[in-house]
Amino acid sequence: MSTAPGAPSGRPPTPDVSVVVAVHNTMPYLTRCLSSLVEQTIGQRRMEVIVVDDGSTDGSAEEIERFAALHPGLFTTLQQANSGGPAAPSNRGLERARGRYVFFLGADDHLSPEALERMVTMADNCRSDVLLCKMVPIGERTVPTGVFSRTAPVIRLVGDGLPWALSNTKLFRRSLIEEHGIRYDESMPAFSDQPFVLEACVRASRISVLADKPHYFAVRRADSGNITFRTDPRVRLRCAERLFEATCRHFAPGPLRDAFHKRHFHVELFQLFGADFPALPEAARESVCTGAARLIGAHGDGVLERLDPRRRRTLELAWRGDVPALLADIAHDPLRTPPPPRVGRFPAVRRLMTTVLG
């Protein structure tokens, strides 16, 4: 573990915002990510950046140290063995954070220059516990849109698009996180940010949205190496089970719980039966189908019928355990037909990043 040089004289003892960046093999995108933090108009006296390298092997560690050397006092750098997902490095970064607010930035992504300054200003003015800034996609990445239809000093848990925007790319009041001991579930290789964000939003007195212009640029890597896109469906199923456990823990049966369950049916469960499902061994396909059927049976009442016909058809087939029909359904869906092989810029990195099943 290494730590960047100490803060320059005159730096406030408590930064306005701590930015946590969990990194694992994200070159060359990491350079743009860290550059966008150096360029922030909030100024380096009011912010700190905690970069946690989760066992990178592609030069990310060296790039982190280069930025730390160029900008002493701004970067705190931590190194650890690869943990298999973003939860552990995010927790390590959170443990080191000192700011009044904490913001989590994906190591593939980057911010507009004024993003942090405008978010902190709005959060202070609105007394926000959680604040979302407008996201836009780069490449084939998808981002929520409904929640960013307007700037709002306060939004509801349900009714303003929040269930569709559960990534951790938000500004959180750190005292709220610490008061309730909110942390990432390190047993979840994928989706670990969603229970974290859900609990923070449930505990928050006020959730705000800054949506007048794009501030967060979400990048889909050319090699589709983002953790969600490269995790095996069997692992995603186990993680999806935790998502339903979280909503049931925070909400009694009723409209609030159903709204978040609809999101999980629409996104996480449906994506189990994407282009990678037919390539699984037969026993694995049966296992994924059985697990999904269990979740649909437990939580689908009042939710399944509210899905669009395409997703409802797929999940009904999974509920019935009809794997042959599922395979036919995928084969006839152009949006789920496996694309032709493409040679990414970092094939060796892709192999290293393949999730190892337990």
Side-chain angles (χ1 to χ4, degrees), residues 258 261-263 265-266 269 295-316 319:
D258 287 350
H261 281 180
K262 181 183 177 183
R263 176 250 159 77
F265 274 64
H266 184 98
L269 280 190
L295 292 173
I296 295 165
H299 307 293
D301 188 27
V303 177
L304 191 61
E305 58 267 29
R306 294 166 54 196
L307 300 180
D308 62 84
R310 176 170 167 260
R311 287 173 171 80
R312 185 171 65 247
R313 180 180 64 250
T314 292
L315 295 184
E316 285 176 345
W319 191 14

Side-chain angles (χ1 to χ4, degrees), residues 145-194:
T145 56
V147 73
F148 299 122
S149 61
R150 62 185 177 91
T151 292
V154 59
I155 64 169
R156 301 164 292 176
L157 284 172
V158 168
D160 295 310
L162 184 63
W164 305 95
L166 292 180
S167 71
N168 65 345
T169 53
K170 299 170 175 60
L171 190 75
F172 300 91
R173 187 177 299 277
R174 194 168 65 85
S175 60
L176 175 82
I177 301 299
E178 296 304 329
E179 176 186 355
H180 298 284
I182 304 173
R183 291 295 186 269
Y184 295 86
D185 185 342
E186 297 185 18
S187 69
M188 296 177 66
F191 313 145
S192 61
D193 54 345
Q194 293 192 37

Side-chain angles (χ1 to χ4, degrees), residues 282-350:
E282 181 178 356
R285 293 199 298 262
E286 294 285 350
S287 175
V288 170
C289 191
T290 298
R294 184 170 60 250
L295 292 173
I296 295 165
H299 307 293
D301 188 27
V303 177
L304 191 61
E305 58 267 29
R306 294 166 54 196
L307 300 180
D308 62 84
R310 176 170 167 260
R311 287 173 171 80
R312 185 171 65 247
R313 180 180 64 250
T314 292
L315 295 184
E316 285 176 345
L317 291 173
W319 191 14
R320 296 203 297 265
D322 194 340
V323 174
L326 272 172
L327 294 175
D329 188 54
I330 295 168
H332 288 89
D333 186 344
L335 296 178
R336 287 184 286 174
T337 301
R342 60 188 299 178
V343 178
R345 295 182 64 185
F346 305 101
V349 172
R350 288 205 309 277

Side-chain angles (χ1 to χ4, degrees), residues 82-94:
N82 180 242
S83 65
S90 296
N91 281 339
R92 300 295 85 75
L94 185 56

Side-chain angles (χ1 to χ4, degrees), residues 4-289:
S9 61
R11 181 178 179 181
T14 301
D16 283 334
V17 58
S18 301
V19 181
V20 175
V21 186
V23 178
H24 177 68
N25 287 354
T26 53
M27 289 296 289
Y29 307 95
L30 179 62
T31 301
R32 183 70 189 91
C33 172
L34 300 182
S35 295
S36 77
L37 295 173
V38 172
E39 296 163 359
Q40 289 299 301
T41 60
I42 196 172
Q44 297 183 15
R45 289 172 55 86
R46 296 178 58 195
M47 63 182 287
E48 65 175 0
V49 180
I50 304 165
V51 188
V52 186
D53 175 37
D54 196 51
S56 295
T57 59
D58 70 337
S60 291
E62 292 78 6
E63 185 71 341
I64 293 167
E65 293 299 336
R66 184 175 75 86
F67 270 84
L70 287 172
H71 305 282
L74 175 61
F75 289 94
T76 296
T77 65
L78 309 174
Q79 293 181 342
Q80 63 182 35
N82 180 242
S83 65
S90 296
N91 281 339
R92 300 295 85 75
L94 185 56
E95 290 163 4
R96 296 293 296 269
R98 300 181 299 117
R100 295 188 297 117
Y101 298 100
V102 60
F103 185 88
F104 295 93
L105 175 62
D108 312 289
D109 305 332
H110 55 273
L111 297 175
S112 69
E114 59 186 1
L116 293 178
E117 182 178 19
R118 296 196 68 215
M119 281 190 280
V120 168
T121 297
M122 182 173 180
D124 283 344
N125 290 340
C126 295
R127 303 187 305 279
S128 313
D129 287 322
V130 179
L131 186 142
L132 294 71
C133 69
K134 186 170 185 176
M135 306 175 69
V136 294
I138 303 294
E140 297 177 1
R141 185 86 170 263
T142 57
V143 299
T145 56
V147 73
F148 299 122
S149 61
R150 62 185 177 91
T151 292
V154 59
I155 64 169
R156 301 164 292 176
L157 284 172
V158 168
D160 295 310
L162 184 63
W164 305 95
L166 292 180
S167 71
N168 65 345
T169 53
K170 299 170 175 60
L171 190 75
F172 300 91
R173 187 177 299 277
R174 194 168 65 85
S175 60
L176 175 82
I177 301 299
E178 296 304 329
E179 176 186 355
H180 298 284
I182 304 173
R183 291 295 186 269
Y184 295 86
D185 185 342
E186 297 185 18
S187 69
M188 296 177 66
F191 313 145
S192 61
D193 54 345
Q194 293 192 37
F196 179 97
V197 172
L198 177 63
E199 182 171 1
C201 289
V202 168
R203 306 286 190 189
S205 297
R206 179 166 294 187
I207 306 168
S208 305
V209 177
L210 177 61
D212 61 335
K213 62 175 67 175
H215 283 312
Y216 192 106
F217 300 90
V219 178
R220 174 74 178 265
R221 299 190 207 174
D223 65 352
S224 298
N226 312 63
I227 183 69
T228 301
F229 302 112
R230 63 180 167 85
T231 305
D232 186 283
R234 289 163 288 185
V235 175
R236 297 205 307 270
L237 171 63
R238 294 203 297 267
C239 294
E241 291 170 348
R242 302 291 182 86
L243 301 182
F244 285 96
E245 291 171 5
T247 52
C248 290
R249 185 164 59 248
H250 291 294
F251 300 119
L256 280 177
R257 182 189 287 186
D258 287 350
F260 285 89
H261 281 180
K262 181 183 177 183
R263 176 250 159 77
H264 298 321
F265 274 64
H266 184 98
V267 180
E268 286 81 21
L269 280 190
F270 177 73
Q271 287 180 350
L272 294 175
F273 305 101
D276 50 355
F277 179 77
L280 292 174
E282 181 178 356
R285 293 199 298 262
E286 294 285 350
S287 175
V288 170
C289 191

